[in-house]
């Protein structure tokens, strides 16, 4: 017998997979319903509006993001290692987290307190922790390059084993910052 919790778990798993594959905006409740063999109405009963699905999928990532930002990292290398681990661990929702909800600041206005605003706040806090309060142009460029590499490197390698992605991303990130003090 299937319980409501089992159904919710199946819906969340399908949504996570479809959001990672297609993106949040391109995935409808009907798509999710088809993936789990339910009607759109049944999915909407558990998660309406669709934003509730995103919020539930992002909740564990948000908790870990707060822990990452609050942790006292002894060095930038230690922070980068923790950041890479976070990105790889949550790569099934990283597209939703970094692309669909964050969007481009210059073309995508957000209302204060929205999920999009919260995610942009996290992104900006990660960036500041990575590059410092007043980085020079080269350090800013390296910071955004690293965040972009993490975003696309995790989203576009869903078919590869997690440990392989983690090792390659960490090697690339370390090479980017090696022997370069913040400027």
């Amino acid at each position: 017998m299937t319980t409501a919790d089992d159904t919710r778990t199946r819906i969340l798993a399908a949504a996570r997979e479809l959001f990672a594959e297609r993106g949040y905006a391109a995935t409808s409740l009907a798509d999710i319903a088809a993936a789990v063999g339910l009607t759109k109405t049944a999915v909407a009963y558990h998660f309406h509006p669709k934003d509730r699905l995103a919020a539930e999928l992002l909740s564990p990532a948000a908790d870990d993001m707060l822990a990452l930002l609050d942790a006292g990292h002894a060095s930038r290398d230690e922070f980068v290692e923790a950041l890479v681990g976070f990105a790889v661990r949550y790569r099934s929702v990283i597209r939703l987290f970094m692309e669909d909800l964050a969007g481009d600041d210059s073309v995508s206005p957000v209302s204060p307190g929205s999920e999009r605003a919260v995610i942009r706040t996290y992104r900006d806090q990660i960036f500041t922790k990575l590059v410092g309060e007043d980085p020079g142009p080269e350090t800013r460029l390296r910071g955004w390059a690293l965040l972009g590499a993490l975003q696309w490197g995790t989203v576009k390698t869903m078919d590869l084993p997690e440990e392989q992605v983690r090792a390659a991303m960490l090697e690339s990130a370390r090479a980017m910052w090696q022997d370069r003090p913040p400027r």
Side-chain angles (χ1 to χ4, degrees), residues 69 105 117-132 144 147:
L69 291 169
D105 291 340
V118 169
I119 288 171
R120 286 184 180 176
T121 299
Y122 284 147
R123 180 206 59 201
D124 294 346
Q125 288 175 349
I126 290 168
F127 182 77
T128 299
K129 193 156 188 168
L130 184 62
V131 301
W144 287 121
L147 293 182

Side-chain angles (χ1 to χ4, degrees), residues 56-179:
E56 193 149 338
L57 288 172
L58 291 174
S59 181
D63 292 343
D64 281 359
M65 176 59 66
L66 289 173
L68 174 73
L69 291 169
D70 290 341
H73 298 95
S75 66
R76 180 181 5 214
D77 191 56
E78 188 179 300
F79 176 67
V80 167
E81 186 171 342
L83 181 60
V84 167
F86 171 85
V88 173
R89 183 170 46 259
Y90 290 106
R91 64 188 176 150
S92 64
V93 293
I94 205 80
R95 181 175 180 181
L96 171 66
F97 190 75
M98 299 286 282
E99 182 184 53
D100 286 334
L101 288 181
D104 182 354
D105 291 340
S106 64
V107 297
S108 182
V110 298
S111 38
S114 69
E115 286 96 353
R116 195 174 275 225
V118 169
I119 288 171
R120 286 184 180 176
T121 299
Y122 284 147
R123 180 206 59 201
D124 294 346
Q125 288 175 349
I126 290 168
F127 182 77
T128 299
K129 193 156 188 168
L130 184 62
V131 301
E133 288 294 330
D134 190 25
E138 184 177 328
T139 301
R140 280 183 51 224
L141 179 58
R142 288 180 192 285
W144 287 121
L146 176 59
L147 293 182
L150 283 173
Q151 176 184 345
W152 291 109
T154 54
V155 168
K156 297 298 186 181
T157 59
M158 295 296 295
D159 60 323
L160 299 176
E162 187 173 306
E163 194 48 48
Q164 181 181 6
V165 174
R166 181 187 321 275
M169 294 302 297
L170 193 52
E171 180 182 343
S172 297
R174 285 182 174 151
M176 185 178 293
W177 293 104
Q178 188 175 16
D179 299 325

